[in-house]
Amino acid sequence: MIKAKNVWKIYGRGEAKTIALKNVNVEIKEGEFVMIMGPSGCGKSTLLNILGLLDIPTKGEVYYKGRKTSSMSENERAVFRRKISGFIFQQFHLIKTLTALENVELPMMLDEKDKIYRKKRAKKLLEMVGLGDRLNHYPHQLSGGQQQRVAIARALANNPKIIFADEPTGNLDSKSGLIVMNILKELNEKGITIVMVTHDQELTKYASKIIKLKDGEVVEVIEKAKN
Amino acid sequence: MIKAKNVWKIYGRGEAKTIALKNVNVEIKEGEFVMIMGPSGCGKSTLLNILGLLDIPTKGEVYYKGRKTSSMSENERAVFRRKISGFIFQQFHLIKTLTALENVELPMMLDEKDKIYRKKRAKKLLEMVGLGDRLNHYPHQLSGGQQQRVAIARALANNPKIIFADEPTGNLDSKSGLIVMNILKELNEKGITIVMVTHDQELTKYASKIIKLKDGEVVEVIEKAKN
Ligand SMILES: Nc1ncnc2c1ncn2[C@@H]1O[C@H](COP(=O)(O)OP(=O)(O)OP(=O)(O)O)[C@@H](O)[C@H]1O
Ligand SMILES: Nc1ncnc2c1ncn2[C@@H]1O[C@H](COP(=O)(O)OP(=O)(O)OP(=O)(O)O)[C@@H](O)[C@H]1O
Ligand SMILES: [Mg+2]
Ligand SMILES: [Mg+2]
């Protein structure tokens, strides 16, 4: 479904050059539950952003369903981000001037869903992540883990086919983290592809494939046998 | 050293009222390594901010070395925050327009340390957390875990007597997290008091005391015997 071929990401030049990704080749097949792991700073968020078409490689190519994404128009990329994928950011990126409910409604407004449907679905998603009593709170009125859960609910708003999750349980206690992993597991069982970055070794049991990065390179890919 | 007595934190009023802390009584003795744990949204960051004099209770009192902090002048509170305590925030709060080095220098500038001393100490602290090659990067040029490590280095800049750490390993892989915990452990062995919020059960072995919160209340305090 998504393929990165000889992908490099290089920032700056000369003395100040940082190579975030070096010749990365990975494939995400439809329906997989892929986890990307590795030390802090090794390139996980960078790779996730490139696979999710939020960022472009310096060298190399990303293919979506066999098609070069570098030849997609900005409109096609926007459709991918709005209708096909859902993204949970490592630093949430909630809109500070919108309530939890409005933050979750936002992708549905961009997708022109009607008001009654949006409010109903946003409420249901927030209840699913345990925030039914925080609908009208603004981000600064929410705890770190509550903000993270709003970001998770928002990523699910438009029924995405692929979910990109950057450390979605980083600010959650084990019980809330389990609720989130169960949501992702159920979606995956319905055929939705999950690509998740995590530091938590405990969560590898949910993955069908684990990609390990170190210093911008893929050092190991572990494929689990289907049960 | 720090005592919270009948502390309440209430936001809003009427229908929109949120009780973040209910009648909390806790004590942090000098030299302790205290961990505060509990579910997402239960009041940990709120309690840490109140113990660290960054926030004030709605009801109740916080004592520092036997003295009511509500009768401290704003200047005295500022001296506490600048000279005595070091704070690591759950969402880092780095200055976006300053490099990693400058962010770590900032508390020393506010404390009027000379330029040569500041640069040398800031560099040493960043090297200690593995960021020796990222000194001149801006926050947006750093990974989530790298930003967290800058926040940690910054909290240590003025040789604090008390360190308040809000989930300092939340964005770190186990190896970087271990480096951070070893830094805190060594400081604690030198007599520095640590008050840390964490979701990670694996880290409780470092604590001399564990305070468990649930729905804004203290539900359990576990004191470990001295070895
Ligand atoms: N300004 C505010 N107005 C209203 N409610 C607030 C405000 N700030 C925090 N809260 C609420 O207070 C409660 C405690 O928040 P706090 O940030 O202390 O939680 P926490 O235990 O640190 O959670 P986490 O583990 O998710 O970081 C939360 O339920 C939150 O919604
Ligand atoms: N705009 C930029 N300019 C220069 N270097 C950058 C920039 N953005 C990221 N980097 C560097 O690229 C590397 C990879 O960053 P990335 O955010 O992908 O790491 P990560 O694996 O997600 O780390 P973490 O686990 O800490 O979140 C880091 O070493 C970072 O310093
Ligand atoms: Mg990252
Ligand atoms: Mg918190």
Side-chain angles (χ1 to χ4, degrees), chain B residues 210-221:
Chain B
I210 300 169
I211 297 170
K212 292 193 181 173
L213 294 183
K214 190 173 198 285
D215 296 326
E217 297 185 84
V218 175
V219 294
E220 193 179 7
V221 177

Side-chain angles (χ1 to χ4, degrees), chain B residues 89-156:
Chain B
F89 296 94
Q90 188 170 4
Q91 272 140 44
F92 322 150
H93 297 318
L94 300 180
I95 310 283
K96 303 203 193 303
T97 48
L98 298 181
T99 63
L101 194 75
E102 291 164 345
N103 263 286
V104 178
E105 281 189 78
L106 192 56
M108 291 185 266
M109 289 176 75
L110 297 173
D111 205 31
E112 296 174 62
K113 293 286 193 295
D114 73 79
K115 190 170 180 177
I116 294 174
Y117 169 86
R118 285 193 329 245
K119 285 235 175 289
K120 194 156 172 266
R121 177 157 176 80
K123 186 166 183 280
K124 167 171 166 277
L125 289 166
L126 285 164
E127 285 168 347
M128 204 162 77
V129 294
L131 294 175
D133 60 353
R134 290 282 182 280
L135 303 179
N136 300 317
H137 279 233
Y138 288 87
H140 75 272
Q141 298 173 324
L142 295 170
S143 77
Q146 288 168 341
Q147 292 178 37
Q148 187 156 43
R149 285 182 275 155
V150 175
I152 292 162
R154 178 181 64 180
L156 305 180

Side-chain angles (χ1 to χ4, degrees), chain A residues 1-148:
Chain A
M1 197 182 201
I2 301 181
K3 198 187 253 176
K5 198 157 177 289
N6 302 342
V7 159
W8 290 69
K9 186 71 182 179
I10 303 170
Y11 295 105
R13 58 189 68 172
E15 274 278 348
K17 193 157 100 173
T18 310
I19 302 182
L21 294 174
K22 296 183 180 87
N23 202 22
V24 168
N25 287 280
V26 294
E27 191 174 357
I28 312 290
K29 298 198 185 83
E30 194 159 355
E32 282 189 319
F33 196 135
V34 182
M35 271 179 192
I36 300 173
M37 308 186 77
S40 171
C42 73
K44 304 178 297 298
S45 297
T46 305
L47 178 57
L48 200 73
N49 289 342
I50 285 173
L51 293 172
L53 308 193
L54 289 176
D55 194 8
I56 50 178
T58 312
K59 297 193 226 175
E61 185 62 70
V62 177
Y63 296 85
Y64 173 60
K65 295 195 170 178
R67 176 146 181 243
K68 280 190 185 180
T69 59
S70 56
S71 58
M72 276 167 114
S73 67
E74 190 43 46
N75 192 40
E76 286 174 286
R77 295 167 78 88
V79 166
F80 176 86
R81 291 191 295 249
R82 206 176 63 223
K83 284 192 176 295
I84 299 167
S85 65
F87 213 106
I88 303 164
F89 297 93
Q90 189 169 4
Q91 272 138 46
F92 322 150
H93 297 318
L94 299 181
I95 310 283
K96 304 204 191 308
T97 49
L98 297 182
T99 63
L101 194 75
E102 291 165 345
N103 264 285
V104 178
E105 281 190 78
L106 193 56
M108 292 186 265
M109 289 175 76
L110 297 172
D111 205 33
E112 296 171 67
K113 295 284 193 295
D114 73 78
K115 190 170 180 181
I116 293 175
Y117 169 86
R118 285 192 331 245
K119 284 235 174 290
K120 194 156 174 262
R121 178 159 176 79
K123 185 166 185 281
K124 166 170 167 277
L125 288 166
L126 286 165
E127 285 169 348
M128 204 161 77
V129 294
L131 294 176
D133 59 354
R134 292 283 184 276
L135 303 179
N136 301 316
H137 280 231
Y138 288 87
H140 74 273
Q141 297 173 323
L142 296 171
S143 76
Q146 289 170 341
Q147 291 178 36
Q148 187 158 42

Side-chain angles (χ1 to χ4, degrees), chain B residues 163-179:
Chain B
I163 295 168
F164 296 93
D166 202 341
E167 302 197 32
T169 62
N171 279 282
L172 302 178
D173 57 286
S174 44
K175 190 150 166 262
S176 318
L178 202 64
I179 291 170

